[in-house]
Amino acid sequence: SVHEFSTRPFPEKIPHFDYDSKMKVLKVTQNGAIRWKAYNWVYLSASLQGKHIGALDIGNGIWRVFYRNVFLGYFDEHVFRKKEQSVRLETNLV
């Protein structure tokens, strides 16, 4: 008797999102990481499995990573020391 139904419509499907043409669009794997340049991995989050992210080059090998309009963090592509090594995103790199 106290509950009131919401008047806002609930979409059945989340609308498709198009990233800016300057961004590199990558798909997050089942382990929550993206493959970077064939041998390297950047770990994002397991909650982004199967989603597409956008990476924007801001210079000197530093990339800003977004999920839709949400800024996730930075990574430096020069940090990879050897093949098959992974890194995590940082929020205070720049």
Side-chain angles (χ1 to χ4, degrees), residues 4-19:
E4 293 182 22
F5 288 98
S6 174
T7 58
R8 290 186 287 167
F10 182 76
E12 291 295 322
K13 284 185 128 184
I14 297 173
H16 181 70
F17 186 82
D18 290 323
Y19 288 98

Side-chain angles (χ1 to χ4, degrees), residues 13-14 20 25 36 58 61:
K13 284 185 128 184
I14 297 173
D20 190 294
V25 179
W36 189 256
I58 60 173

Side-chain angles (χ1 to χ4, degrees), residues 3 9 14 19 23 26-28 32 41 48 58 60 65 69 71 73 77 83 90-91:
H3 179 73
I14 297 173
Y19 288 98
M23 290 187 173
L26 302 161
K27 188 172 182 179
V28 181
W41 293 93
L48 292 172
I58 60 173
N60 294 332
V65 180
N69 292 329
F71 171 66
E77 66 181 15
K83 289 183 179 181
E90 296 183 28
T91 55

Side-chain angles (χ1 to χ4, degrees), residues 34-75:
I34 55 171
R35 182 180 288 277
W36 189 256
K37 296 190 177 179
Y39 295 105
N40 302 308
W41 293 93
V42 179
Y43 181 76
L44 303 173
S45 171
S47 63
L48 292 172
Q49 293 176 5
K51 308 283 194 256
H52 288 87
I53 58 99
L56 181 63
D57 185 10
I58 60 173
N60 294 332
I62 298 175
W63 293 78
R64 293 181 76 185
V65 180
F66 294 87
Y67 173 66
R68 295 181 173 243
N69 292 329
V70 178
F71 171 66
L72 300 176
Y74 299 96
F75 77 92

